[in-house]
Amino acid sequence: MRILVVEDTADIAEAVVMRLEKIGHAVDWEQDGQTAAELIEVQTYDLVILDLTLPGQDGLAILKGMRARKIKTPVLVLTARSHVDERIGALDLGADDYLIKPFDYGELEARARALLRRSAGQSDNLLRVGPLVIDRAGRIASIGERPLNLTRRELTVLEILAARPERIVPKEELVEQLFNFEQEASPNAVEQFVARLRRKLADAPIEIRTLRGLGYQLAAL
């Protein structure tokens, strides 16, 4: 998924970005609150991880602005402010969850998964399409009892398609979900990932269909 991390403490931000990228997400990082607020207006994200104390514009102002503009993207607040009234204030402004610094990065991953799952209307970490099962927490895909040997990006493409079974996913949307602003992104790269996935799914009753000019569709045969 495409995630924005808004955090001005470099070591924390770099650790969060590394953990999220390692499990397949495309992650943008902004240190300045005003720049982050402007970015949220023009770029669609699946999740915003938001520190409250920021230069330029603080996290509460960013959150208030998002909800005022009806931007429904889930927001996970990171804060060193432990006072309960401040946490209540963030939740009342529209935050979906919060973590108090210092926090465990494994817990952050779990909370991010829960918010992404909830926003997609899913009750657990397993995606199922026919015999295909993707464990989003374990980052494992299998056909029946047979695990699939997939790269990180291949698994992410399959996960995006499996989260929308039978729906057409535009190639441009896959590019948005796979690459951040600093990475070279192209539709050709998506085509290569899809081609490799098709080879690995060749003997399975699962098909990735190409609808010319529209995108890709995952379906059980």
Side-chain angles (χ1 to χ4, degrees), residues 125-128 132-136 140-141 155 158-159 162:
N125 286 316
L126 298 180
L127 293 175
R128 297 179 177 89
L132 171 68
V133 179
I134 300 175
D135 181 347
R136 301 173 107 173
I140 299 170
L155 179 59
L158 191 59
E159 179 184 349

Side-chain angles (χ1 to χ4, degrees), residues 6 34-35 38 60 71 104 106 127 143 162-163 190 195 201:
V6 189
Q34 183 60 44
T35 302
E38 294 168 358
L60 290 178
I71 297 173
D104 180 84
L127 293 175
I143 299 290
V190 171
L201 295 170

